[in-house]
mmCIF file of all heavy atoms in Angstrom:
data_model
loop_
_atom_site.group_PDB
_atom_site.id
_atom_site.type_symbol
_atom_site.label_atom_id
_atom_site.label_comp_id
_atom_site.label_asym_id
_atom_site.label_seq_id
_atom_site.Cartn_x
_atom_site.Cartn_y
_atom_site.Cartn_z
ATOM 1 N N ILE A 7 3.895 6.507 -4.996
ATOM 2 C CA ILE A 7 3.911 6.803 -6.433
ATOM 3 C C ILE A 7 2.919 7.912 -6.755
ATOM 4 O O ILE A 7 3.238 8.855 -7.492
ATOM 5 C CB ILE A 7 3.621 5.522 -7.252
ATOM 6 C CG1 ILE A 7 4.809 4.566 -7.161
ATOM 7 C CG2 ILE A 7 3.290 5.855 -8.700
ATOM 8 C CD1 ILE A 7 4.538 3.172 -7.698
ATOM 9 N N VAL A 8 1.724 7.824 -6.192
ATOM 10 C CA VAL A 8 0.721 8.868 -6.415
ATOM 11 C C VAL A 8 1.228 10.207 -5.890
ATOM 12 O O VAL A 8 1.122 11.239 -6.566
ATOM 13 C CB VAL A 8 -0.629 8.494 -5.751
ATOM 14 C CG1 VAL A 8 -1.602 9.661 -5.779
ATOM 15 C CG2 VAL A 8 -1.231 7.281 -6.431
ATOM 16 N N HIS A 9 1.805 10.209 -4.696
ATOM 17 C CA HIS A 9 2.329 11.439 -4.093
ATOM 18 C C HIS A 9 3.441 12.037 -4.953
ATOM 19 O O HIS A 9 3.486 13.247 -5.151
ATOM 20 C CB HIS A 9 2.839 11.137 -2.685
ATOM 21 C CG HIS A 9 3.276 12.334 -1.906
ATOM 22 N ND1 HIS A 9 2.409 13.294 -1.459
ATOM 23 C CD2 HIS A 9 4.501 12.711 -1.474
ATOM 24 C CE1 HIS A 9 3.067 14.220 -0.785
ATOM 25 N NE2 HIS A 9 4.347 13.889 -0.785
ATOM 26 N N SER A 10 4.306 11.188 -5.468
ATOM 27 C CA SER A 10 5.423 11.676 -6.284
ATOM 28 C C SER A 10 4.955 12.238 -7.622
ATOM 29 O O SER A 10 5.402 13.317 -8.035
ATOM 30 C CB SER A 10 6.418 10.543 -6.527
ATOM 31 O OG SER A 10 6.995 10.148 -5.314
ATOM 32 N N TYR A 11 4.078 11.534 -8.302
ATOM 33 C CA TYR A 11 3.615 12.026 -9.603
ATOM 34 C C TYR A 11 2.679 13.222 -9.457
ATOM 35 O O TYR A 11 2.700 14.127 -10.287
ATOM 36 C CB TYR A 11 2.958 10.906 -10.411
ATOM 37 C CG TYR A 11 3.985 9.998 -11.034
ATOM 38 C CD1 TYR A 11 4.206 8.722 -10.537
ATOM 39 C CD2 TYR A 11 4.758 10.438 -12.105
ATOM 40 C CE1 TYR A 11 5.167 7.891 -11.098
ATOM 41 C CE2 TYR A 11 5.730 9.618 -12.668
ATOM 42 C CZ TYR A 11 5.921 8.346 -12.158
ATOM 43 O OH TYR A 11 6.878 7.542 -12.719
ATOM 44 N N TRP A 12 1.857 13.222 -8.422
ATOM 45 C CA TRP A 12 0.980 14.372 -8.192
ATOM 46 C C TRP A 12 1.824 15.612 -7.887
ATOM 47 O O TRP A 12 1.433 16.735 -8.205
ATOM 48 C CB TRP A 12 0.003 14.073 -7.054
ATOM 49 C CG TRP A 12 -1.113 15.056 -6.976
ATOM 50 C CD1 TRP A 12 -1.195 16.140 -6.154
ATOM 51 C CD2 TRP A 12 -2.307 15.078 -7.761
ATOM 52 N NE1 TRP A 12 -2.363 16.813 -6.374
ATOM 53 C CE2 TRP A 12 -3.065 16.179 -7.356
ATOM 54 C CE3 TRP A 12 -2.802 14.239 -8.770
ATOM 55 C CZ2 TRP A 12 -4.298 16.494 -7.928
ATOM 56 C CZ3 TRP A 12 -4.031 14.560 -9.326
ATOM 57 C CH2 TRP A 12 -4.756 15.673 -8.913
ATOM 58 N N ALA A 13 2.995 15.411 -7.287
ATOM 59 C CA ALA A 13 3.885 16.535 -6.973
ATOM 60 C C ALA A 13 4.331 17.263 -8.238
ATOM 61 O O ALA A 13 4.490 18.487 -8.226
ATOM 62 C CB ALA A 13 5.095 16.044 -6.183
ATOM 63 N N TYR A 14 4.520 16.533 -9.327
ATOM 64 C CA TYR A 14 4.866 17.191 -10.593
ATOM 65 C C TYR A 14 3.731 18.104 -11.043
ATOM 66 O O TYR A 14 3.958 19.221 -11.494
ATOM 67 C CB TYR A 14 5.159 16.160 -11.690
ATOM 68 C CG TYR A 14 6.471 15.440 -11.516
ATOM 69 C CD1 TYR A 14 6.509 14.107 -11.133
ATOM 70 C CD2 TYR A 14 7.666 16.095 -11.755
ATOM 71 C CE1 TYR A 14 7.712 13.440 -10.977
ATOM 72 C CE2 TYR A 14 8.880 15.438 -11.599
ATOM 73 C CZ TYR A 14 8.889 14.111 -11.206
ATOM 74 O OH TYR A 14 10.079 13.465 -11.055
ATOM 75 N N LEU A 15 2.506 17.630 -10.911
ATOM 76 C CA LEU A 15 1.347 18.443 -11.263
ATOM 77 C C LEU A 15 1.250 19.667 -10.352
ATOM 78 O O LEU A 15 1.000 20.780 -10.823
ATOM 79 C CB LEU A 15 0.061 17.614 -11.185
ATOM 80 C CG LEU A 15 -1.235 18.365 -11.492
ATOM 81 C CD1 LEU A 15 -1.248 18.830 -12.948
ATOM 82 C CD2 LEU A 15 -2.431 17.481 -11.198
ATOM 83 N N VAL A 16 1.465 19.469 -9.067
ATOM 84 C CA VAL A 16 1.428 20.587 -8.115
ATOM 85 C C VAL A 16 2.484 21.621 -8.484
ATOM 86 O O VAL A 16 2.195 22.825 -8.542
ATOM 87 C CB VAL A 16 1.633 20.092 -6.665
ATOM 88 C CG1 VAL A 16 1.829 21.258 -5.709
ATOM 89 C CG2 VAL A 16 0.474 19.223 -6.226
ATOM 90 N N LEU A 17 3.691 21.177 -8.746
ATOM 91 C CA LEU A 17 4.768 22.103 -9.106
ATOM 92 C C LEU A 17 4.413 22.880 -10.367
ATOM 93 O O LEU A 17 4.572 24.105 -10.420
ATOM 94 C CB LEU A 17 6.080 21.340 -9.298
ATOM 95 C CG LEU A 17 7.307 22.174 -9.638
ATOM 96 C CD1 LEU A 17 7.581 23.203 -8.559
ATOM 97 C CD2 LEU A 17 8.521 21.275 -9.836
ATOM 98 N N LEU A 18 3.891 22.202 -11.367
ATOM 99 C CA LEU A 18 3.511 22.854 -12.613
ATOM 100 C C LEU A 18 2.392 23.874 -12.396
ATOM 101 O O LEU A 18 2.492 25.025 -12.827
ATOM 102 C CB LEU A 18 3.074 21.810 -13.649
ATOM 103 C CG LEU A 18 2.521 22.356 -14.965
ATOM 104 C CD1 LEU A 18 3.628 23.044 -15.757
ATOM 105 C CD2 LEU A 18 1.878 21.256 -15.762
ATOM 106 N N VAL A 19 1.344 23.477 -11.718
ATOM 107 C CA VAL A 19 0.175 24.348 -11.543
ATOM 108 C C VAL A 19 0.509 25.538 -10.645
ATOM 109 O O VAL A 19 0.102 26.671 -10.949
ATOM 110 C CB VAL A 19 -1.025 23.540 -10.999
ATOM 111 C CG1 VAL A 19 -2.167 24.451 -10.616
ATOM 112 C CG2 VAL A 19 -1.480 22.526 -12.027
ATOM 113 N N VAL A 20 1.239 25.330 -9.575
ATOM 114 C CA VAL A 20 1.595 26.445 -8.697
ATOM 115 C C VAL A 20 2.546 27.402 -9.419
ATOM 116 O O VAL A 20 2.431 28.627 -9.278
ATOM 117 C CB VAL A 20 2.182 25.947 -7.362
ATOM 118 C CG1 VAL A 20 2.734 27.106 -6.532
ATOM 119 C CG2 VAL A 20 1.130 25.195 -6.573
ATOM 120 N N THR A 21 3.441 26.870 -10.221
ATOM 121 C CA THR A 21 4.320 27.730 -11.017
ATOM 122 C C THR A 21 3.499 28.569 -11.989
ATOM 123 O O THR A 21 3.702 29.790 -12.091
ATOM 124 C CB THR A 21 5.354 26.880 -11.786
ATOM 125 O OG1 THR A 21 6.133 26.137 -10.840
ATOM 126 C CG2 THR A 21 6.273 27.744 -12.622
#
Side-chain angles (χ1 to χ4, degrees):
I7 290 169
V8 171
H9 186 68
S10 295
Y11 282 107
W12 193 262
Y14 287 108
L15 178 65
V16 170
L17 182 59
L18 174 68
V19 171
V20 172
T21 300

